[in-house]
Amino acid sequence: MERIYTTQRWDMADLPLQETLFHNANGYLGVRGALEEGLPQGADTMRGTYINGFYELVPMKQAEKLTNVLEEKESMINVGDPQGLRIAVDGQWFHQLEGEMLSYRRSLDMDAGITSREMVWRSPKGHQVAISFRRLASFVLPEMFTIDCRVTALNFAGTVEVESTQLALVRNYADPNDPRLAHSSQCHLVPAGHVFKGDASYLSVTTRHSGLKLTGGVRHWTDLAPSAARWEYDPQEHQAAYRCTFHLEQGQSLRLVKYCVFADSRRSDDTLAHAMTAMEKGYGRMDWLYEQQRLELDGFWKNAGTCIQGDGEANLSMQFNLYQLFQSAGKDGLCSIAAKGLSGEGYEGHYFWDTEMYMMPFFTLTMPQLARKLLGYRYLTLPQARENARLLGHKKGALYPWRTITGQECSGYFPAGTAQYHIVGDIAYAVANYYIATDDRDYMIREGAEILLETARLWMEVGHEYQGSFRIHCVTGPDEYTCIVNNNYYTNACAQHNLRWAVRAMELLKQWGAYERWAARLQVEPGEAEAFAHAADIMFLPYDEALDINPQDDSFLEKPVWDFDATPPENHPLLLHYHPLQLYRYQVCKQADTVLAHVLFGQLERLETRRNSFAYYEKVTTHDSSLSNCIFCIDACRLGLRAKARSYFGDSIKTDLMNTHGNTKDGIHTANMGGCYLAVVSGFAGLELEENAIRLNPFLPEDWTGLSFRFQYHGSHLAFDMEGDGYTLKLESGRGVTVHTPEGQYQLEEPGQQLAGAVAGAVGQGG
Amino acid sequence: MERIYTTQRWDMADLPLQETLFHNANGYLGVRGALEEGLPQGADTMRGTYINGFYELVPMKQAEKLTNVLEEKESMINVGDPQGLRIAVDGQWFHQLEGEMLSYRRSLDMDAGITSREMVWRSPKGHQVAISFRRLASFVLPEMFTIDCRVTALNFAGTVEVESTQLALVRNYADPNDPRLAHSSQCHLVPAGHVFKGDASYLSVTTRHSGLKLTGGVRHWTDLAPSAARWEYDPQEHQAAYRCTFHLEQGQSLRLVKYCVFADSRRSDDTLAHAMTAMEKGYGRMDWLYEQQRLELDGFWKNAGTCIQGDGEANLSMQFNLYQLFQSAGKDGLCSIAAKGLSGEGYEGHYFWDTEMYMMPFFTLTMPQLARKLLGYRYLTLPQARENARLLGHKKGALYPWRTITGQECSGYFPAGTAQYHIVGDIAYAVANYYIATDDRDYMIREGAEILLETARLWMEVGHEYQGSFRIHCVTGPDEYTCIVNNNYYTNACAQHNLRWAVRAMELLKQWGAYERWAARLQVEPGEAEAFAHAADIMFLPYDEALDINPQDDSFLEKPVWDFDATPPENHPLLLHYHPLQLYRYQVCKQADTVLAHVLFGQLERLETRRNSFAYYEKVTTHDSSLSNCIFCIDACRLGLRAKARSYFGDSIKTDLMNTHGNTKDGIHTANMGGCYLAVVSGFAGLELEENAIRLNPFLPEDWTGLSFRFQYHGSHLAFDMEGDGYTLKLESGRGVTVHTPEGQYQLEEPGQQLAGAVAGAVGQGG
């Protein structure tokens, strides 16, 4: 299977979207796919380069001061522009909007880990030239981004001029009308030294307020000697421009590689030295970089490869999504995965619950070491979560912020931000899930149990016993169209799971002889575990007898249903067209909320209650969030609603590659990408992990011919393959695994052993 | 009875408070009692002059963009500084912080309508001089403010230099840490022309964004000729400084009057001409101004005089409060009464429900014509209230903004602002109450009925029928420590009253033959009145059987009670020390909420339920709002809890004069002032008005010897007098009145006739 996405469109309207789709990233840095030659003044472009976790502190003033609501947030900033590379043919500057484009092809090669733009262009004067750019953000040398350019004189002999620029002071993109983007465009950087060493330039900058430093370096390599003696350059403290002229015979090519490096002060004390070292490692070794890139991706696809047969479009989107997740994931434990990865400025580079609930399952199942790094980020920021809990008045426990970069709350509207206490349970869920999948006891002892304890403590602070059950008031569930409610079903279920896993972790630590020191360090009080267990046991989970459903919260069903018939399609997403109070007053959900709880904690309810709930929420959910369709898909799978499941998946899988939400230009939707993976693995394949076994309950959508993926469980590698009505699960390496399927319990003892099963019949098709 | 408040303190710490207590206002303009000679650099002063309803548009950016939440607000601005007047004695500039103060007395004479500062000062060189400033904001010439200064050489002969300034470009006061004040200090004005005509200067300015214009004029008068030929002055476009030297013999006095006028473009097309005309009317006529001022106040006290005997401090505070209400009230129908009147910048000069619920009863009972003007302001802004309703998604009806100057919403935090839908019912309540008290049919036909209709329509939009009752979701009641709740008791009771009065108004209009045209103009639909009546009939009013109380809202009682024991006194008001979400999660009330509903709509509940509710809410209310104690006082009166009533009144009455909330320096608390009046009249005297009768149920606190006040009902003037165990109610003029007392029903037929009664026994003392 070749994993290549290609387009031949080059109209202006499409370019911002292409900047996202063809961005290059490696988890550390990301460069949007802007045009090297630039765009005309005023054209819409988000010409950005980003470093994961590199931020500026920007004001987040409340319109009215609110006590303990922070008024400063972290915002991911555009760190420089290494992309500039202009080419002139006999004095005429190439631009794809001028002259005539004889052929055009822009590609993302997900096996090679490169993007490319290949063109045959006729200049206004008639010179025909082939120009290609190949770009890479290296997985093995994460500081490095390269542009590999080739120019071929097709119908003439003459000069080729090149001008390459490096800009240190760049602005962020802004859209004052979109709450998901920054309000105003600003340059957050000030020059902090420049070094021009031979033919390399290194420009350093610092942020104005966050005290971070960054050095960007650029150096050029060519396979032809310049016509003049050498490159001219025009160094300034905040930019460098290199100019050079070459002579080409007809048919002759020039290859020019622009090596760019970035080093930042969150990762190194001396960013200049760090940048120079990185440049040394990579400079002049383009072929080695290509080779390493492919090797890295070979490994990735081997472990993470997930293939849908019979639906090429869905399959290509799936490859794209998984590739983006890999590109986006911070791999150094200092950072996580932003809502838009490193592909754009939507949501300001913030990390949300998206990572833990939507993306972590993919990493946990396919790259557990990377999953541990991502969880490590949350452990690293546990002190800030404790501080945040204090701001909210909780004497104990940790409250993770709703959106953040280094751990401080960066949400400016607390009713739909900080009030989403469920993030605490979400992170605990990811910790438990990681442990269940990996049996990584070292992690549990060093980090996981502490997170479980501190989050459980928080629930004891937030909730209270009332009329014999444990209630949680004044929180917001995942559905942001209903804010500050009592006993949000999802939140309560999450809290229950969190409390139970805190108790479980303490049991495990006792079994492993690691409890005493740990408990002393964390000042665990006598009876604390019992109190957790009791609260979990009496957790209040809203249930409506008449409808036999779980209401989203205490008062959800008392509200009138939103008038969907009177809502024109252009008024979606509703949050951009209606006052929040109006949305809050009706039964209308932005996304899966109770349905998500049923997907995660299905065992809490009878199948009939879940089925009724699914049907109920389906009617009142707008799926205005990209985190919704995939969850409805999984629940539909679990309930045997095959046609529905397939339809929800179809909507979800295409979000970015088909730009179905219309805003992929601001960046990819990483949570949805993880959600699509979950839909396939947890939904269609019905994979669920337990501490000592895994469960499978697969079915294949009618229009697909097969589905296959690999995953890891307790260190063992397994391969799942489904075709037609049958499927196999093979133990490829590692120790034995117990597997439950609808047909019974199996034991895969030795590598090479496999079980074969028939696809379960649909329980029903209705809704 | 002499109504004079005096202080002899002049320490720096006291001055900001004195600026408030000794401010001069007349409902149109207000000048804080700053020191004419100024303060040292850096001293805390809010040296402000304000025009009621004169505002600038300032940004009110949300930290995260929220749809249909306005991002610009109106803010009352400091319009200029006419106060500057420095005096030098033989070359030494007078300042009360230098030299030696031999005597000092600062007074507010509420009979004369003037403030004064009288001093005997010894300069560092030993010159003794008597200096006095008398200030007035004219009630008959509202554009005019005067400073009448007298300087007497006591132990020397020599020169007296005077420097008088007029500044057009001034800044607003700011405190970035107090949500009740502006965040940053700015000058909102730009020069717009200056005219120096003879010895008068007129400086015009415009606001930067709101497009308003203002002209301030200054002219001086003296009873001595200057030593030099004439006044020198130094005119600039944004300021004028007048300098002059006089010669005084020992024992001789100089009298200098500074006449200041203001005219603004909300009231006149040509502000310069308007200012000049006002100056002409008043200049040189200081004695006439004093006389008119006293005449105006004679009338005021005659109608509004309210006297507490036996408690001098409370009585003085009562006089102060009523005087401030009169000073603060906009009298031109274009504006209303700001939360701080015209005495300071707290709450940015915004009008709240405070006017209708706390202050209007005073005006309705004592100055019905002025009450109609104040209600007229709400009629004037009905179109904006309709627009505001549309922003919130309501197809019909009017939603008055929570805080405003011209009618647009100026609340930056909607959960504790716009969500307080009860303001709609509050305004309707004031309309009904005005009609009940005055029988003003013309008002009802022209304005009142339309407000009642449009507000009733809003409730039909906001609420809905659920399980046989009318529910109102997602609103905030008066208690801002509990936001966005369902079925707030106060709101629902208010809405019920509003709906019933809309129906009643339609009946009245039909009786008066005014209905058809009115209904056609307002597109009243068939069945609309019936729908209002039905919604009112089935209005849901939360009731808890176990406690026999009315819960504040659907989920109030499910929350844990705030840990008051663990809350140190310095953490009050709680809103300045705890995150809103923390407050929302507990049973803790900022102010009377359900208790206020019981005061207004007591007939809805059994006495026992009200008694239980009072006891319940008393335990969970912090009275962090100055609108709370007075309401608890009235309810305590109604429930016969005399000792409690007296104690709540004691807390409330002293708020400003004794600065019990510590923030009177930012301005007076006009709502509390009205609330104190209500406590006396509605509480202690037990006065309640009905459409065809009035009710009295008086009692006298033990430490008082008497209580008396006058009021009007259906155009008749009545005088209430209570002494010891007996009271009288006398019809002084006008047509007959039916009176219900605990002893029976009486008819006062002719002027001069009176009824005498015994004070009712206390129903109980507990709580």
Side-chain angles (χ1 to χ4, degrees), chain A residues 64 67 412 464 486 555 558 575, chain B residues 64 67 412 464 486 555 558 575:
Chain A
E64 280 181 33
T67 302
H464 70 290
N486 302 327
S555 69
E558 294 172 23
L575 72 99
Chain B
E64 281 182 30
T67 301
H464 69 290
N486 301 328
S555 69
E558 295 173 22
L575 72 99

Side-chain angles (χ1 to χ4, degrees), chain B residues 459-706:
Chain B
W459 293 118
M460 300 305 289
E461 285 276 316
V462 184
H464 69 290
E465 200 170 328
Y466 174 74
Q467 292 187 345
S469 59
F470 194 84
R471 314 282 178 117
I472 297 174
H473 276 249
C474 294
V475 297
T476 298
D479 167 30
E480 295 174 354
Y481 288 172
T482 315
C483 284
I484 309 191
V485 294
N486 301 328
N487 296 306
N488 170 259
Y489 182 92
Y490 175 84
T491 305
N492 286 21
C494 243
Q496 184 185 51
H497 177 268
N498 192 160
L499 290 161
R500 292 224 161 108
W501 264 95
V503 176
R504 176 74 185 133
M506 290 195 241
E507 284 168 10
L508 290 171
L509 262 58
K510 279 179 188 159
Q511 283 175 27
W512 304 333
Y515 181 76
E516 294 305 329
R517 252 183 65 189
W518 177 89
R521 178 170 67 84
L522 295 167
Q523 300 178 294
V524 178
E525 282 172 25
E528 213 170 345
E530 290 71 19
F532 292 168
H534 177 68
D537 288 343
I538 63 166
M539 183 62 67
F540 182 72
L541 295 172
Y543 174 71
D544 183 88
E545 204 149 351
L547 297 170
D548 187 16
I549 70 168
N550 297 113
Q552 188 169 300
D553 58 64
D554 277 358
S555 69
F556 189 78
L557 296 181
E558 295 173 22
K559 298 175 182 177
V561 172
W562 182 265
D563 189 350
F564 292 96
D565 292 339
T567 309
E570 65 270 22
N571 279 7
H572 288 270
L574 303 183
L575 72 99
L576 296 185
H577 298 87
Y578 300 94
H579 192 291
L581 254 189
Q582 188 178 2
L583 295 174
Y584 298 171
R585 194 169 286 126
Y586 292 88
Q587 289 187 41
V588 54
C589 305
K590 188 180 172 198
Q591 65 197 90
D593 192 298
T594 308
V595 169
L596 175 58
H598 285 173
V599 163
L600 301 179
F601 313 111
Q603 77 290 351
L604 293 174
E605 305 296 340
R606 292 166 43 246
L607 191 69
E608 201 51 33
T609 306
R610 288 168 52 192
R611 198 190 308 281
N612 292 334
S613 298
F614 181 90
Y616 193 90
Y617 289 107
E618 202 177 23
K619 293 200 188 91
V620 297
T621 303
T622 61
H623 307 293
D624 284 346
S625 161
S626 69
L627 284 62
S628 191
N629 279 313
C630 50
I631 301 304
F632 273 78
C633 168
I634 300 173
D635 207 29
C637 288
R638 302 268 173 90
L639 298 171
L641 305 168
R642 294 184 171 192
K644 274 190 190 299
R646 177 65 185 91
S647 154
Y648 279 113
F649 183 76
D651 289 345
S652 202
I653 186 75
K654 300 173 189 166
T655 302
D656 284 314
L657 211 55
M658 312 292 147
N659 190 23
T660 55
H661 281 231
N663 64 354
T664 293
K665 71 179 180 63
D666 301 328
I668 54 174
H669 298 78
T670 52
N672 176 66
M673 290 169 163
C676 289
Y677 174 82
L678 258 185
V680 162
V681 171
S682 273
F684 296 127
L687 177 66
E688 293 183 84
L689 306 186
E690 296 174 358
E691 273 191 80
N692 297 307
I694 63 179
R695 293 184 175 274
L696 274 181
N697 186 11
F699 93 86
L700 193 66
E702 273 184 18
D703 59 329
W704 293 2
T705 56

